[in-house]
Amino acid sequence: MADRSLQTALDAAQDPVGMLQQAGGRWVWPQEVKREYSNWMDELRAARETCVLADLSHHQMDQVIEGPGSFDLLKKLCTNSFEGFDVGKAKQAIFCNPDGKFIGDGVLQRLEDEKFVMSGKVPAAHWLAYHAETGEYDVSETIYPKSSKTDDDPHFYTYQVQGPNALDVMQEIVDESLTDIPFFNFKRITIAGEEVRALRHGMAGEIGFELQGPYEHADLIKDVILEAGEEYDIQRLGTRAYEPLSVKLGWVTTHVPAIYTGEEMAEYREWLSASSYEGTYSIAGSYHSDDIRDYYVSPLDIGYDHMIEFDHEFVGREALETEAADPDRTRVTLVWDDEDAIGIFASLFDDDALPNKFIDLPRDRWGGHHDKVLKDGEVVGISKSFAYSYSDREMISICSIDREYSEPGTEVTFVWGEEGGQSPNPTVEAHSQTEISATVAPSPYLDDSR
């Protein structure tokens, strides 16, 4: 990759944690999609009660991988099994470093025998691109970046039709039945004369579809969906309402990619740009360690056990086999105590002390969160992505926790706010730390009817 390498930046900083704490800035959604189309509460209500259309065309990258060696490359890099991964199937592909620590993930679809597309955040795509470029694979790949990183239009439009009425809306605009598409499989359908790839999944706990096709057809497809959805009370979902959905599903969208240490990863860090996602990732939260490795997680730590299969050789297999025999942590939901959550906002009116760290509802991100979770004063986990669940009227967060404390109903506390009430991140205001009581609950945290 061009310009200064990530390794050069790390050498200059001599402190990976400090470098990433300073790389601050709130997550900014692309301007092409409105923050709210009506208001975020009504939009979230529609996601659970009627139907919504979400536009993901601009905030994620798409990577096209093709060639005779593409299947072998993916199989070598992913922890997932590839048995039965035929054309028309999809998976959440998991990528790890040689020590079995999590680098990233993406939604991977097999379009043809030798052609795949992966969508999502870019760390997994960078890792794949590096191996495609430096390994002995007969493969080509192209990353089409999210809109904020390019002047070009997206390669694909990506729309999600979600909610209890999603299937009814979709059946209005296609001739063929969609009820036979299994979960995380796709079917090529025709909408308004154009071919569309319809992936069956759901971000709202209900039957849903993710639609992709050439971006030049984006407006046509969007208008057809919205017109058909009128009788089913469809609403457009703004980015503000879209953000909390992943927290209820237990999808870990922010994490420290496990690439900053280790001699085996040195050439990769030289390949990566200092201005890449990995070079500008922002660490936030009350947990602090001087060792960046303490921020790494394995797929087992974040509840991705079912996406690891030891039926093939892959990067990180040996380490994960050892860990899987006696894993330390797993993923849960933390349900915040109502009064403690209210206290964060009540602190704004206290004249005698700095307020607690402010939260812009329903979800706020000024960095990848790592808040320390305590039991009897000892750190037993890390609270990560947090959000206000409008349907439950609760504050919740995803937590990686020691397995002995993962039973639903277990009571813990976590520390809210940056260490010392301040951060090198310029978007973080001076504040006071506080402790929040929380109760362990399952993750995902919703009735899953997908």
Side-chain angles (χ1 to χ4, degrees), residues 171-183:
Q171 288 292 182
E172 289 283 345
I173 58 178
V174 299
D175 294 329
E176 62 263 56
S177 172
L178 302 178
T179 58
D180 61 340
I181 307 177
F183 182 70

Side-chain angles (χ1 to χ4, degrees), residues 335-370:
V335 181
W336 301 15
D337 177 80
D338 287 346
E339 291 302 316
D340 287 352
I342 291 169
I344 294 173
F345 298 95
S347 71
L348 291 168
F349 302 93
D350 184 351
D351 292 331
D352 298 324
L354 285 171
N356 301 149
K357 180 68 193 75
F358 181 71
I359 305 173
D360 186 16
L361 299 180
R363 186 177 177 187
D364 204 351
R365 284 192 276 181
W366 54 92
H369 258 263
H370 301 79

Side-chain angles (χ1 to χ4, degrees), residues 22 25 132 168 205 263 272 321 343-344 346 350 355 376 378 397 439:
Q22 295 178 52
D168 292 327
E263 191 58 35
L272 277 171
E321 276 193 296
I344 294 173
D350 184 351
D376 299 326
E378 298 295 323
S397 54
T439 303

